[in-house]
Amino acid sequence: MAQPAQPELQRLLQLLQTERQADLEEYQTRIVNTPLAERRRRGTSWYPVVVTESGYGPGERLYLDVERTTDLRTTHLFGTGKSVSLFSGAGDPKNPDAIGGVVSFLGLNRMRIVFNADEIPDWLDDGKLGVNLLFDETSYTQMVSAVREVMGAAGNRAAGLRDVLLGHQPAAFDRKLFTPTLPRLDESQGRAVANALQARDVAIIHGPPGTGKTTTLVETILLTLQTEKQVLVCSPSNASVDLLTDLLAARGTDVVRIGHPARVGEDTLQHTVDVRLQNDKAFPQIKKLRKQADEYSRLAHQYKRNFGRTEREQRKQILAEARKLSQEANQTEKYLTDRILSGAQVITCTLVGAANRYLEGRTFRTVFLDEAAQALEPATWIPLLKAERVVFAGDHCQLPPTIKSAQAAREGLSVTLFEKVVARQPGVPVMLQTQYRMHEKIMRFSNRQFYHNELRAADSVRAAVLGEADPLREPFTFLDTAGCGFEEQTSAENQSLSNPDEGRLLLRYLESLLEMLEGESPEALAGDFRVGIISPYRAQVEFLDDALAEFPLLYTHRKRITVHTVDGFQGQERDVIGISLVRSNEDGEIGFLQDVRRMNVALTRARKKLVVAGDSATLAGHPFYKAFLDYVEEAAAYHSAWEFMA
């Protein structure tokens, strides 16, 4: 009998295949079918590189530090946690002299790569070394497998949860369940916790910017552990998983983090299976057994091709002993790993990490999914197959999932399971309503556009400003570049956009703010004062980062200033935020500024001062930005760029 959810899930598989194909084609264009010189220019390969250090890190995994010796200012697409290949030779990605690993650290021209291999390859001494980005096939395989399992589920908990989450059955709650007093939380946070504890199938903690979503989620997890021995906590990103791991550990919870050590933050490594295993008093015995097995294996392979029956029998016995020792080491490691995992109160991992062999056969009464509104639905199903019920946390009004295929996104892959539950099970979400981050004037526009005016600023932040003098006491400023001739420019290197004149205007304004702050409230700059500079376009981010050197005071305070894309600021906040919108053209083209959820993220990072630079003439044709410009007038935040031009 066909399940009502099957057509939707079948369509999901088709969209996932479209996404995989787009991702693969992009990889082939960037890497496989592109000459090395072009890959270097595009930033998908480093070549040549030299090895500056080698060793064994957490989990006894081999690492190499490599440094590029040319193209030192060329931008690149490498990042911490990315899968890469270290190769030797002409740089052919299919070259057999290559070894795969994961980037664990990335500096300006240096990276550390962690490998699964035990030994440094012989060809490393041959020189002509380089690093390529790799295509991640594993995550697609795991997502497809999970969706197919959900489609085929019948008569079990996976089938029941599927039908509730996709809206074919109503979500159930035990409203009579006692919920404790929660003095650490405000009223809406308390309601969200109670809703999660009472849910039989699914609950949603909807956390707009600055409302304490993570705090609320941690409290919910801790209260759940009072009645459940163990829970699984997941998130799409390693950074989010690390944060939750550290917060739960700080509250005295026994947490085990599953994941490749190269993808885990340094402070969180102590909680990983690898390090916990390495610190076990029985681990030296495992190393000893493996070393003996390797020695026997090498001894067996020292025999020449032509040898008699006696030698053949001896080799057979030696290989048998090597296998026996290796099996004993593996069995001991499995026993210790099972003991570590079974003793944990919380197991944390990414969504795809929930397919790790360590979790094979394990199920959980409750699975918690943070940042669920940024998670592709197929990835979300991976941990949910281990769940009896799920608690989502996130905000579908902020960043959506990252999708390579515009077609797949347009046809529905961009719609998350979080959003589907919000739309189809209206009694499930509880929105947090008090925000503790930003001045009321900074909050108000996003509150209207995304949160139905239901947010309120806490007393501690409602009127908090930088200082008493203008413009320090004004929390919101819009710098209008219309009519100034500040035209956007297209980068020949990566087709991204920049607007140098607008960028310099924003930096000049921010420098004037710091000058006033130094004169009026120097103690503020002696504390934990931080500035963020945001642009939706990477080329503009790179320009702004370089241009800081042109402004002496900004450069003096460089360590206090972060320059990044919108995505890079998700979940973060700063005392002052400056945003460069870049777009300025006669046709009113605004490109992916149309993704208003990203703008919601950008506009809600500031605590005390938000400065936005943009061309009103270009922006005004879009309804969202027309409403934004109306709010600029209402908030008396408008300034023409001419006021600040030298």
Side-chain angles (χ1 to χ4, degrees):
M1 180 179 176
Q3 303 292 342
Q6 281 194 343
E8 182 176 357
L9 292 169
Q10 185 62 50
R11 179 62 178 151
L12 185 64
L13 279 177
Q14 294 170 355
L15 294 174
L16 185 59
Q17 177 58 28
T18 302
E19 170 67 4
R20 178 194 171 279
Q21 189 60 35
D23 199 0
L24 180 59
E25 287 174 0
E26 181 179 304
Y27 170 75
Q28 289 173 333
T29 300
R30 286 179 169 177
I31 305 288
V32 179
N33 301 325
T34 302
L36 179 58
E38 181 64 14
R39 297 202 310 271
R40 289 170 58 185
R41 191 183 70 81
R42 292 182 178 180
T44 56
S45 293
W46 279 12
Y47 183 86
V49 300
V50 294
V51 175
T52 58
E53 186 179 332
S54 65
Y56 291 87
E60 293 296 304
R61 294 177 189 253
L62 170 69
Y63 73 81
L64 296 174
D65 286 356
V66 302
E67 188 171 326
R68 58 177 175 175
T69 56
T70 59
D71 309 317
L72 301 185
R73 293 295 298 170
T74 302
T75 58
H76 57 80
L77 299 177
F78 291 93
T80 303
K82 292 277 190 180
S83 296
V84 297
S85 171
L86 178 70
F87 63 82
S88 173
D92 181 356
K94 298 175 182 177
N95 192 308
D97 288 344
I99 181 173
V102 176
V103 178
S104 68
F105 166 81
L106 186 69
L108 182 62
N109 292 299
R110 183 172 66 88
M111 71 171 76
R112 172 166 292 185
I113 308 171
V114 178
F115 303 92
N116 289 324
D118 296 325
E119 296 181 354
I120 295 174
D122 295 336
W123 47 260
L124 202 67
D125 295 330
D126 297 342
K128 296 183 179 180
L129 300 177
V131 183
N132 283 325
L133 281 171
L134 283 181
F135 180 68
D136 182 14
E137 182 68 63
T138 304
S139 60
Y140 286 105
T141 301
Q142 291 167 345
M143 286 190 283
V144 168
S145 177
V147 175
R148 285 179 175 162
E149 188 173 343
V150 172
M151 286 178 63
N156 58 12
R157 185 53 185 151
L161 199 54
R162 170 198 66 203
D163 291 343
V164 170
L165 296 178
L166 295 178
H168 300 292
Q169 294 292 332
F173 293 84
D174 186 356
R175 295 304 187 192
K176 295 181 181 179
L177 187 69
F178 170 75
T179 54
T181 303
L182 303 168
R184 298 169 66 98
L185 304 181
D186 64 39
E187 187 272 335
S188 64
Q189 291 172 338
R191 281 193 291 109
V193 172
N195 193 57
L197 296 177
Q198 293 166 352
R200 294 181 184 175
D201 309 295
V202 57
I204 285 181
I205 301 170
H206 178 195
T211 55
K213 171 194 57 91
T214 303
T215 298
T216 307
L217 180 61
V218 167
E219 292 299 325
T220 307
I221 293 169
L222 294 173
L223 286 168
T224 301
L225 287 172
Q226 293 181 7
T227 56
E228 298 176 24
K229 182 182 177 182
Q230 187 178 78
V231 299
L232 179 65
V233 177
C234 302
S235 180
S237 73
N238 282 290
S240 176
V241 176
D242 287 350
L243 174 62
L244 287 167
T245 301
D246 295 341
L247 290 173
L248 288 164
R251 297 290 295 274
T253 307
D254 187 351
V255 190
V256 173
R257 167 77 156 96
I258 291 176
H260 194 297
R263 294 188 171 102
V264 177
E266 188 174 339
D267 294 338
T268 314
L269 274 173
Q270 61 183 311
H271 303 295
T272 60
V273 175
D274 293 81
V275 172
R276 294 274 290 262
L277 187 64
Q278 191 177 324
N279 292 335
D280 193 285
K281 61 183 180 181
F283 188 72
Q285 178 63 19
I286 296 174
K287 287 183 65 177
K288 182 179 179 181
L289 289 168
R290 290 209 168 116
K291 184 178 180 181
Q292 290 175 337
D294 289 342
E295 289 173 352
Y296 276 119
S297 182
R298 280 195 295 270
L299 181 62
H301 288 97
Q302 285 176 1
Y303 284 97
K304 297 179 181 179
R305 180 170 296 178
N306 298 315
F307 53 86
R309 178 183 297 178
T310 302
E311 289 86 358
R312 185 177 292 109
E313 187 61 32
Q314 286 178 337
R315 188 177 76 164
K316 185 177 178 181
Q317 290 176 358
I318 293 172
L319 286 172
E321 184 64 24
R323 282 194 296 271
K324 179 183 174 183
L325 290 167
S326 183
Q327 287 171 359
E328 186 179 345
N330 291 339
Q331 288 170 357
T332 304
E333 181 174 316
K334 185 178 185 306
Y335 169 77
L336 294 177
T337 301
D338 287 344
R339 188 175 69 181
I340 290 168
L341 291 170
S342 296
Q345 294 173 284
V346 180
I347 297 175
T348 63
C349 61
T350 61
L351 303 179
V352 174
N356 190 291
R357 59 185 174 86
Y358 290 145
L359 294 181
E360 190 173 335
R362 292 182 181 270
T363 58
F364 304 85
R365 165 76 179 118
T366 307
V367 171
F368 294 88
L369 264 63
D370 194 17
E371 303 295 357
Q374 284 185 263
L376 283 176
E377 181 181 341
T380 306
W381 286 114
I382 298 173
L384 294 193
L385 285 167
K386 302 179 180 297
E388 291 184 32
R389 69 185 195 116
V390 57
V391 176
F392 290 120
D395 180 13
H396 53 299
C397 301
Q398 294 189 62
L399 288 179
T402 300
I403 298 177
K404 299 288 180 67
S405 168
Q407 178 187 345
R410 188 170 56 249
E411 294 181 6
L413 189 60
S414 62
V415 181
T416 63
L417 193 55
F418 181 101
E419 290 176 88
K420 289 181 179 181
V421 177
V422 169
R424 301 174 189 183
Q425 299 283 8
V428 166
V430 173
M431 191 179 89
L432 309 183
Q433 294 178 317
T434 303
Q435 70 84 12
Y436 300 89
R437 173 181 298 162
M438 65 202 98
H439 190 286
E440 192 168 35
K441 273 191 176 181
I442 300 173
M443 174 194 77
R444 193 173 294 149
F445 176 69
S446 285
N447 193 19
R448 288 178 186 173
Q449 292 291 312
F450 298 99
Y451 306 110
H452 314 290
N453 275 325
E454 293 178 12
L455 289 181
R456 58 183 179 274
D459 291 342
S460 58
V461 300
R462 180 178 292 117
V465 293
L466 291 174
E468 292 305 315
D470 265 344
L472 298 178
R473 65 184 176 89
E474 291 302 324
F476 175 37
T477 298
F478 177 70
L479 305 176
D480 187 6
T481 66
C484 295
F486 291 0
E487 293 290 314
E488 63 191 52
Q489 301 175 9
T490 303
S491 168
E493 184 173 304
N494 55 21
Q495 297 303 299
S496 183
L497 295 175
S498 65
N499 193 323
D501 290 328
E502 179 182 286
R504 288 192 178 91
L505 170 72
L506 178 62
L507 294 178
R508 191 178 305 122
Y509 184 88
L510 292 175
E511 175 144 279
S512 71
L513 279 183
L514 290 189
E515 286 175 357
M516 292 191 70
L517 203 56
E518 275 195 337
E520 182 177 315
S521 306
E523 68 281 358
L525 292 175
D528 193 30
F529 181 82
R530 293 291 182 271
V531 176
I533 304 176
I534 302 175
S535 179
Y537 293 92
R538 183 163 295 279
Q540 184 74 342
V541 168
E542 292 169 359
F543 168 79
L544 290 164
D545 202 29
D546 287 341
L548 283 173
E550 301 175 21
F551 297 86
L553 189 54
L554 291 180
Y555 198 71
T556 299
H557 292 285
R558 183 67 182 87
K559 290 184 178 179
R560 300 177 183 270
I561 300 172
T562 305
V563 187
H564 218 310
T565 60
V566 179
D567 294 46
F569 271 96
Q570 170 80 349
Q572 299 188 49
E573 58 187 62
R574 298 290 188 273
D575 297 281
V576 177
I577 288 287
I579 304 173
S580 174
L581 297 179
V582 175
R583 301 310 300 257
S584 180
N585 55 76
E586 294 180 356
D587 300 323
E589 293 288 340
I590 63 170
F592 62 73
L593 287 188
Q594 294 177 82
D595 186 350
V596 297
R597 290 190 290 181
R598 273 192 162 76
M599 280 310 301
N600 184 33
V601 173
L603 294 170
T604 55
R605 301 303 98 194
R607 298 187 191 106
K608 298 178 179 179
K609 180 75 177 183
L610 172 65
V611 186
V612 181
D615 182 344
S616 63
T618 300
L619 299 171
H622 190 281
F624 176 85
Y625 293 98
K626 175 63 169 64
F628 174 74
L629 294 170
D630 289 343
Y631 179 66
V632 166
E633 293 291 343
E634 176 191 326
Y638 181 88
H639 292 275
S640 171
W642 291 104
E643 299 175 38
F644 305 97
M645 293 172 66

